[in-house]
Amino acid sequence: MYEKTLVIVKPDGVQRRMVGTLISRFEKVGLKIHAMRFVQATDEQSKAHYAEHVDKPFYPSLEAYITVGPALVFVLGGTGAIAKVRQLVGDTEPASALPGTIRGDYAHQPLERGSDRFLCNLVHASANTEDAEREVALWFGPDEVLDYAMIDDMYTGL
Ligand code: IDP
Ligand code: MG
């Protein structure tokens, strides 16, 4: 099924000049960009986006991390895109993320879950259908999520 999912290049990805590299990883597997915005997230946006984590002990460090500088927020689409993007992104903990995943390849920070410091892992990706719908609507208005044909769509049937 065709799905849309929300992805964020977090501030560490921007500050490490990895925006182009990371977008490229998603384009290479055939995902389509439907929306994109460069944002300095507010504390309120962090709390809304990470609602499930607001009461956890690590939340203050997560909010400090996601608001430390601008982030690139975007919507990607494709068949099974939600699970596909999560697979590409890899495990939350950089040390456990498999080689070949974005976090496994580029996020070398040795911090583990339970730390009260920043757990920098370069990208966010929606975890499931419900989160994807909620997160896309949180960051983009309906008119900002664009549907259009890719070059390969134009040759279908030839
Ligand atoms: P996910 O990003 O792989 O979906 P979640 O468990 O939803 O992982 O956590 C959201 C984000 O919060 C993580 O990507 C990471 O930046 C941060 N985080 C998660 N667990 C911890 C922790 O134990 N300490 C510090 N930060 C954490
Ligand atoms: Mg999550």
Side-chain angles (χ1 to χ4, degrees):
M1 192 177 67
Y2 194 91
E3 296 171 337
K4 290 175 183 161
T5 188
L6 188 99
V7 183
I8 303 177
V9 174
K10 296 179 178 183
D12 53 326
V14 174
Q15 292 169 357
R16 288 174 58 188
R17 300 181 175 84
M18 293 194 63
V19 167
T21 302
L22 296 173
I23 292 174
S24 189
R25 293 287 292 252
F26 296 112
E27 283 194 312
K28 277 180 183 165
V29 300
L31 292 156
K32 184 194 284 198
I33 298 167
H34 288 280
M36 188 168 281
R37 186 186 297 134
F38 197 48
V39 186
Q40 171 58 62
T42 63
D43 294 355
E44 290 67 34
Q45 282 171 316
S46 172
K47 287 185 178 71
H49 178 80
Y50 284 122
E52 63 172 316
H53 297 311
V54 166
D55 296 326
K56 296 188 181 159
F58 66 81
Y59 181 75
S61 71
L62 172 56
E63 184 176 286
Y65 165 38
I66 204 68
T67 61
V68 74
L72 189 74
V73 185
F74 49 103
V75 177
L76 292 177
T79 302
I82 298 169
K84 170 65 75 181
V85 170
R86 290 285 292 194
Q87 283 179 331
L88 278 169
V89 165
D91 196 272
T92 304
E93 288 178 330
S96 313
L98 292 175
T101 65
I102 288 171
R103 288 168 172 169
D105 286 349
Y106 306 121
H108 303 296
Q109 189 192 41
L111 264 190
E112 295 178 359
R113 280 186 183 278
S115 163
D116 58 3
R117 293 178 47 216
F118 289 15
L119 202 168
C120 295
N121 51 13
L122 291 169
V123 277
H124 165 83
S126 304
N128 52 52
T129 312
E130 196 179 289
D131 281 1
E133 283 173 10
R134 184 182 64 79
E135 292 170 7
V136 170
L138 190 67
W139 292 100
F140 296 99
D143 294 348
E144 295 174 309
V145 182
L146 307 179
D147 290 308
Y148 59 98
M150 300 299 270
I151 193 75
D152 28 309
D153 298 328
M154 297 177 188
Y155 292 95
T156 302
L158 287 185

